[in-house]
Amino acid sequence: MKKKLVMLLVAAMSVSMLAACSNNSEDTSDTSDSAASAEASAEASAETTETEEVVEFGDEAYLKAYTASDYVTLGEYQGIEVEAETPEVTEEELQEYIDYVLSQELQEVTDRAVQTGDTVDIDYVGKYADTGEAFDGGSAEGYQLEIGSGTFIDGFEDGLIGAETGEVRDLELTFPEDYSSTDLAGKAVVFTVTVNQILAPVEELTDEYCANLGIENVSDIASFKEYLTGLMLENEQSTYDSTVQNAVLEAVFDASEFKDVPQEMVDRYLYLYNNQLDTLARYYTAMYGTEYTADSVLSQIMASEGYTGDGETYLNELAVKTVQELLMAQAIADELEITVSDDEVMEAITESMAGAASSYADVEDYISQNSIDLEAYKESLMHDKVVEYLAENASVVEPESEE
């Protein structure tokens, strides 16, 4: 879990997330949306966000107050050579994915008894052996238990091996002496278990299995493989696009020279990142049941990147680099006459609203309830346009073979 969590945290705090969580003086209802690239994460975390004091930022905290070329001297940004593997799906990769899909699918077994590796749907009632009284938390209906998982106390899962569908068994067991509940620790109990259903992973791909998946245009093994190949290629293409965009952005950034950036913009991003840390801490505390603080979240992010400095320095460096990247993108946009209209901003926000879990009266209601910073949103869309241009005009080559 920790590895996955750190990846999510780093993604949420990445430099490429350029829409700020802030307010401008023209509209005090506009506190932040996250960048389009991290929008789903922000919407999820927003569910755990409490009402906080809003910090207002004036025009000087946004790009519109500056001429980008005053702060950055661009290097070459067209035709940048980057390496990326052409998206493809091999037969071996397809089979591995099919095997994974099958391992996650369970089908009912009716011609044999329970064996290790099966998942059984059971009802059970736990009672003290000496009094016959049911104990708290010892009963359930329709519980799905994997035999051999070690989920229940010793003897419970093994006691169901060999049971038939519909069979009722009394399992005479004893809770461990060090069991977490003092009422049950060391106690002899009897679980009366009814096996409702026996389920097992799908072992073999068949035409019948594929036809019963309910996927449009999938009726047999061949069409299922074609469907999966399409999904995998779509994922590979997304990875490819991200690789190219990140590589060309890094190359253009490294080729640029920067002067001191506006402190007001840096302050806006410091505010954003600190708020995100607080939000992420609450979100992961709720998700994983372990207490997270903004400092602990930041420590995990820094550790994942091998950063050995202090948190304040890390966040300041991150904010400065974010502003540098944004100014660089704006300078390129100015040279290429790339613009973002208000209509484009509203169109993007409307699309975001359409994919939101909650319902809204209209786009204005969505903007208000989510405190979307329209100016920051426009900056983010400009950045995305520039990155797309850089990637489209890059010279992409295959990585050199290691053989």
Side-chain angles (χ1 to χ4, degrees):
M1 183 274 287
K2 287 185 177 179
K3 182 177 180 182
K4 180 179 180 182
L5 173 59
V6 169
M7 291 172 63
L8 289 170
L9 297 179
V10 172
M13 294 289 290
S14 65
V15 174
S16 62
M17 191 180 62
L18 289 171
C21 177
S22 56
N23 235 13
N24 62 44
S25 58
E26 295 175 357
D27 184 350
T28 56
S29 67
D30 285 342
T31 5
S32 88
D33 202 6
S34 42
S37 61
E39 186 176 345
S41 173
E43 287 180 356
S45 61
E47 296 177 2
T48 64
T49 304
E50 300 173 0
T51 302
E52 299 177 351
E53 180 182 356
V54 174
V55 175
E56 296 185 10
F57 291 97
D59 289 352
E60 66 278 4
Y62 297 87
L63 278 174
K64 64 182 181 180
Y66 306 98
T67 300
S69 58
D70 290 343
Y71 298 91
V72 56
T73 301
L74 298 172
E76 183 58 55
Y77 59 82
Q78 302 198 63
I80 301 296
E81 183 175 300
V82 295
E83 293 184 352
E85 293 185 6
T86 301
E88 66 172 345
V89 176
T90 66
E91 284 296 327
E92 181 180 2
E93 291 170 336
L94 176 60
Q95 188 58 52
E96 288 178 354
Y97 189 51
I98 289 173
D99 291 342
Y100 170 77
V101 170
L102 294 182
S103 72
Q104 303 302 304
E105 290 290 326
L106 298 176
Q107 62 183 4
E108 185 174 11
V109 176
T110 58
D111 58 353
R112 63 168 175 79
V114 175
Q115 62 187 33
T116 300
D118 288 343
T119 294
V120 290
D121 184 294
I122 57 175
D123 299 338
Y124 62 87
V125 177
K127 300 179 181 180
Y128 292 107
D130 54 355
T131 65
E133 179 185 357
F135 54 84
D136 292 339
S139 304
E141 294 183 354
Y143 187 92
Q144 291 200 345
L145 172 66
E146 182 183 347
I147 303 300
S149 64
T151 304
F152 281 22
I153 62 172
D154 287 347
F156 191 104
E157 294 167 32
D158 288 344
L160 295 178
I161 293 176
E164 304 281 351
T165 300
E167 183 176 341
V168 179
R169 287 192 173 184
D170 286 333
L171 307 179
E172 298 179 2
L173 307 173
T174 302
F175 275 89
E177 293 289 346
D178 60 352
Y179 193 69
S180 57
S181 171
T182 56
D183 291 337
L184 293 172
K187 297 289 187 180
V189 297
V190 177
F191 282 99
T192 300
V193 185
T194 302
V195 178
N196 301 319
Q197 191 179 37
I198 303 172
L199 303 165
V202 177
E203 296 181 354
E204 182 182 3
L205 192 64
T206 64
D207 288 338
E208 180 181 7
Y209 170 81
C210 295
N212 290 331
L213 289 172
I215 301 173
E216 187 176 0
N217 298 324
V218 171
S219 58
D220 53 22
I221 293 176
S223 55
F224 182 55
K225 286 185 174 181
E226 183 178 352
Y227 169 77
L228 287 183
T229 299
L231 287 181
M232 294 175 70
L233 275 175
E234 188 176 311
N235 184 65
E236 289 291 320
Q237 184 65 49
S238 177
T239 300
Y240 172 86
D241 291 342
S242 295
T243 299
V244 172
Q245 290 180 0
N246 290 336
V248 71
L249 187 61
E250 182 178 357
V252 174
F253 185 91
D254 290 343
S256 299
E257 296 181 3
F258 298 92
K259 297 179 181 178
D260 289 343
V261 298
Q263 186 60 44
E264 293 84 355
M265 292 188 69
V266 173
D267 290 342
R268 178 162 67 97
Y269 279 97
L270 284 172
Y271 173 74
L272 163 65
Y273 291 140
N274 278 296
N275 271 304
Q276 285 179 328
L277 287 170
D278 288 334
T279 298
L280 287 168
R282 288 193 295 270
Y283 179 70
Y284 288 109
T285 296
M287 175 178 285
Y288 296 109
T290 301
E291 185 68 26
Y292 285 90
T293 65
D295 287 341
S296 66
V297 170
L298 182 56
S299 293
Q300 289 194 45
I301 294 173
M302 293 191 298
S304 72
E305 296 181 357
Y307 189 90
T308 57
D310 62 88
E312 183 178 352
T313 302
Y314 174 88
L315 288 179
N316 190 71
E317 290 176 356
L318 178 63
V320 169
K321 187 173 182 181
T322 301
V323 174
Q324 288 175 331
E325 185 179 314
L326 198 56
L327 286 163
M328 180 190 75
Q330 185 63 65
I332 294 173
D334 291 341
E335 287 192 0
L336 299 175
E337 297 183 350
I338 294 175
T339 60
V340 176
S341 67
D342 291 341
D343 287 343
E344 287 177 295
V345 172
M346 295 305 294
E347 181 180 350
I349 293 175
T350 301
E351 289 179 2
S352 174
M353 180 182 70
S358 303
S359 59
Y360 300 90
D362 51 34
V363 68
E364 295 297 337
D365 182 41
Y366 178 70
I367 292 171
S368 175
Q369 289 198 40
N370 289 279
S371 302
I372 296 176
D373 184 335
L374 297 179
E375 192 62 37
Y377 211 101
K378 178 180 284 190
E379 291 179 351
S380 177
L381 292 180
M382 177 279 298
H383 175 269
D384 290 347
K385 276 191 174 185
V386 169
V387 172
E388 289 172 7
Y389 174 89
L390 296 176
E392 289 171 359
N393 288 274
S395 173
V396 185
V397 298
E398 291 286 330
E400 292 185 9
S401 174
E402 296 182 357
E403 298 179 359

